Amino acid sequence: MAVATQLTDKTDEQRAITEMVRQFVDEQIIPNAEHYDHEDSFPGPIVEQMKELGLFGVTIPEEYGGMGLDLTTYAMIVEELSRGWISISGVVNTHFIGSYLLRKFGTDEQKETFLPRMATGEIRAAFSLSEPEVGSDVQGIKSTAKKEGDEWVLNGQKMWVTNGLLSDLVFVLMKTDPKADPPYKGMTCFITEKEPGVGENTGKYQGLNVPPKIKKMGYKGVESTELVYDGYRCPPDRILGGEEAGVGNGFRQMMDALEVGRVNVAARGVGIAQRALELALRYSQERKTFGKPIAQHQAIQFKLADMATKVEAARLLTMKAARLKDAGERSDLEAGMAKLFASEAGKEVVEDSFRIHGGYGYSKEYEIERLYRDAPLLLIGEGTSEIQRMVIGKKILERNKI
Ligand SMILES: Cc1cc2nc3c(=O)[nH]c(=O)nc-3n(C[C@H](O)[C@H](O)[C@H](O)COP(=O)(O)OP(=O)(O)OC[C@H]3O[C@@H](n4cnc5c(N)ncnc54)[C@H](O)[C@@H]3O)c2cc1C
């Protein structure tokens, strides 16, 4: 019982901030998400309000102008935002990963240059590993950076960059030693600066181009793009952690960041599932068949029971992974479990809610239609379910070696 309390309770600060975010979601996000989703347009006014609420600086230390809150509180906020619309959490997520990388590995100069403006949302960050031929197998990336004179020259094509167009910074993984064995030892993370909203960068950011955004089934509003590095010049002080510490360490840095990224995706799964459950609870008490509300049919009640159980279990796994990370414990196994379970639960609970809505679930008049298109993304981003199972399997064996 004591453990359950510890895992579910919020501190006063966490309660205050999640209530504030929930109110913002109910008033500003849920009523407007349909419009932006339909138009596939960036929710600028919502993002501006998020800046005012300080939501771009939740985990950035106070000395850099952020709130200095932990991953657990961040995960609670992400759940609330995703309950409104997962695209909104997508606007914040890569930014959060970028600020995590800077906090953990950045030089003092890099922190001072970027974190204060990131905390206010004045500049926003993207995070780029994937390429057209490589997603799961990150060690297979082909993009390269070569030192020429005092600068590094970046070439290659990146794929699926969330916030690829409107961001100001991209934390990008490049191969700096193509002969390295194993390959991950020859990879480096560069902080590449660019003009937000510009397809073809010129001047000092020349050589970084953003093709038109990728058309997607869901997760609209937040853009996903390719990025083409074509002779982009990067000074050595824009290697994450500096040239000496950073060259050859990019893979390790990015994998560390993915661990917190996975907690974030798990929290998104909880949020979207929570919303789908709420919609199903309401609809099933309103809709009548065979003379009674469908919620009175046992088959529907059982569905609701399974949905609610999955939401609660997903939330507990997510909180456990976040709290372990905050406590400085290893959480790769737990983050993998949380991501796997919560993303699958998100998809399943959304589908059950869709079924409960009958034919109306197929109509764009009903919110569940959007959730149905949005939920599958969570099975893919930050590592597919198969990749999570590989991580979990490997770690569970490591921890139980005979
Ligand atoms: C909307 C969206 C936004 C994204 N945003 C970003 C972003 O901001 N930054 C970024 O870097 N990436 C981003 N991604 C990319 C995402 O991380 C990859 O799509 C994901 O890692 C899967 O890679 P892939 O698409 O290349 O699939 P593949 O790696 O080609 O996998 C294809 C299938 O094979 C399975 N598979 C692969 N290897 C194995 C194996 N060893 N055993 C069993 N099954 C296996 C996979 O699970 C999957 O089912 C985004 C993707 C999407 C769709």
Side-chain angles (χ1 to χ4, degrees):
M1 195 63 204
V3 174
T5 307
Q6 191 200 347
L7 286 175
T8 50
D9 270 0
K10 290 181 173 148
T11 63
D12 289 345
E13 186 181 44
Q14 286 168 340
R15 194 166 298 114
I17 196 160
T18 48
E19 275 169 17
M20 182 268 285
V21 176
R22 179 168 279 238
Q23 190 183 347
F24 172 66
V25 166
D26 284 338
E27 291 173 2
Q28 304 297 332
I29 300 183
I30 291 177
N32 294 309
E34 187 196 329
H35 163 74
Y36 292 111
D37 172 77
H38 187 73
E39 306 276 315
D40 195 6
S41 59
F42 185 72
I46 294 177
V47 172
E48 285 310 308
Q49 290 176 74
M50 287 163 65
K51 290 180 186 173
E52 279 164 33
L53 294 174
L55 295 180
F56 285 90
V58 171
T59 54
I60 294 178
E62 284 171 308
E63 58 179 304
Y64 297 109
M67 292 190 201
L69 298 174
D70 56 15
L71 178 64
T72 307
T73 314
Y74 178 71
M76 290 170 181
I77 292 172
V78 170
E79 180 191 328
E80 295 299 336
L81 291 175
S82 306
R83 180 183 154 268
W85 186 20
I86 64 162
S87 295
I88 295 292
S89 58
V91 173
V92 187
N93 175 45
T94 59
H95 185 82
F96 157 73
I97 292 182
S99 68
Y100 175 84
L101 283 168
L102 278 172
R103 272 190 293 129
K104 185 138 186 204
F105 303 110
T107 62
D108 288 344
E109 185 271 334
Q110 288 168 352
K111 290 181 200 168
E112 278 152 25
T113 304
F114 298 117
L115 285 178
R117 288 182 292 146
M118 287 176 77
T120 58
E122 180 194 332
I123 56 172
R124 295 200 292 115
F127 168 80
S128 176
L129 304 172
S130 305
E131 297 185 355
E133 289 174 37
V134 173
S136 305
D137 183 12
V138 179
Q139 289 200 60
I141 62 163
K142 295 196 170 79
S143 299
T144 59
K146 267 194 199 143
K147 189 119 189 229
E148 284 182 16
D150 288 341
E151 290 182 320
W152 289 79
V153 181
L154 277 53
N155 284 294
Q157 192 174 349
K158 290 289 173 180
M159 183 75 189
W160 290 119
V161 186
T162 305
N163 299 299
L165 180 65
L166 296 175
S167 54
D168 307 73
L169 296 179
V170 184
F171 290 79
V172 65
L173 190 65
M174 293 277 164
K175 235 174 165 163
T176 41
D177 179 3
K179 294 199 194 92
D181 183 22
Y184 76 85
K185 290 191 172 166
M187 293 180 186
T188 302
C189 174
F190 289 82
I191 310 169
T192 55
E193 295 177 77
K194 64 194 247 327
E195 278 291 320
V198 170
E200 203 174 310
N201 283 274
T202 52
K204 60 179 174 169
Y205 305 140
Q206 192 175 355
L208 174 44
N209 297 327
V210 190
K213 64 184 184 186
I214 301 164
K215 292 190 176 136
K216 299 170 291 190
M217 70 186 267
Y219 199 45
K220 309 250 184 187
V222 57
E223 79 280 6
S224 308
T225 71
E226 295 170 43
L227 287 181
V228 180
Y229 288 87
D230 182 12
Y232 178 89
R233 303 188 83 81
C234 198
D237 57 12
R238 289 297 166 260
I239 289 176
L240 182 65
E243 195 167 38
E244 204 177 317
V247 173
N249 267 327
F251 183 84
R252 191 178 55 83
Q253 294 164 336
M254 292 297 214
M255 290 303 120
D256 186 322
L258 273 188
E259 206 172 296
V260 291
R262 282 172 184 160
V263 173
N264 158 80
V265 177
R268 291 205 227 178
V270 180
I272 199 167
Q274 171 66 37
R275 183 64 185 161
L277 174 63
E278 288 168 17
L279 295 173
L281 285 168
R282 191 173 65 206
Y283 188 81
S284 63
Q285 294 177 76
E286 287 167 359
R287 179 72 175 175
K288 289 194 176 118
T289 66
F290 301 94
K292 56 184 176 184
I294 57 171
Q296 298 305 320
H297 299 303
Q298 195 178 48
I300 299 289
Q301 268 183 29
F302 279 13
K303 238 189 234 316
L304 293 170
D306 286 346
M307 291 160 74
T309 305
K310 284 179 191 170
V311 172
E312 203 53 34
R315 184 177 289 124
L316 287 171
L317 276 175
T318 305
M319 286 298 112
K320 180 175 178 186
R323 286 187 166 123
L324 276 174
K325 184 81 182 171
D326 284 333
E329 303 279 334
R330 282 183 61 181
S331 61
D332 40 12
L333 172 70
E334 290 75 10
M337 286 178 169
K339 200 275 172 183
L340 172 65
F341 188 85
S343 60
E344 293 286 348
K347 193 209 86 187
E348 288 162 16
V349 173
V350 165
E351 184 178 335
D352 277 345
S353 181
F354 167 81
R355 288 172 192 260
I356 286 173
H357 280 75
Y360 290 106
Y362 212 64
S363 156
K364 286 198 179 284
E365 299 285 309
Y366 282 74
E367 197 179 325
I368 191 65
E369 185 270 345
R370 170 170 58 77
L371 272 56
Y372 192 83
R373 285 183 287 107
D374 282 348
L377 166 69
L378 304 177
L379 306 172
I380 310 286
E382 320 271 328
T384 62
S385 292
E386 289 73 25
I387 297 303
Q388 303 313 316
R389 287 191 175 94
M390 282 164 61
V391 171
I392 296 165
K394 189 169 159 221
K395 297 290 163 189
I396 200 87
L397 282 167
E398 263 173 33
R399 290 193 197 178
N400 292 280
K401 235 180 197 147
I402 53 168

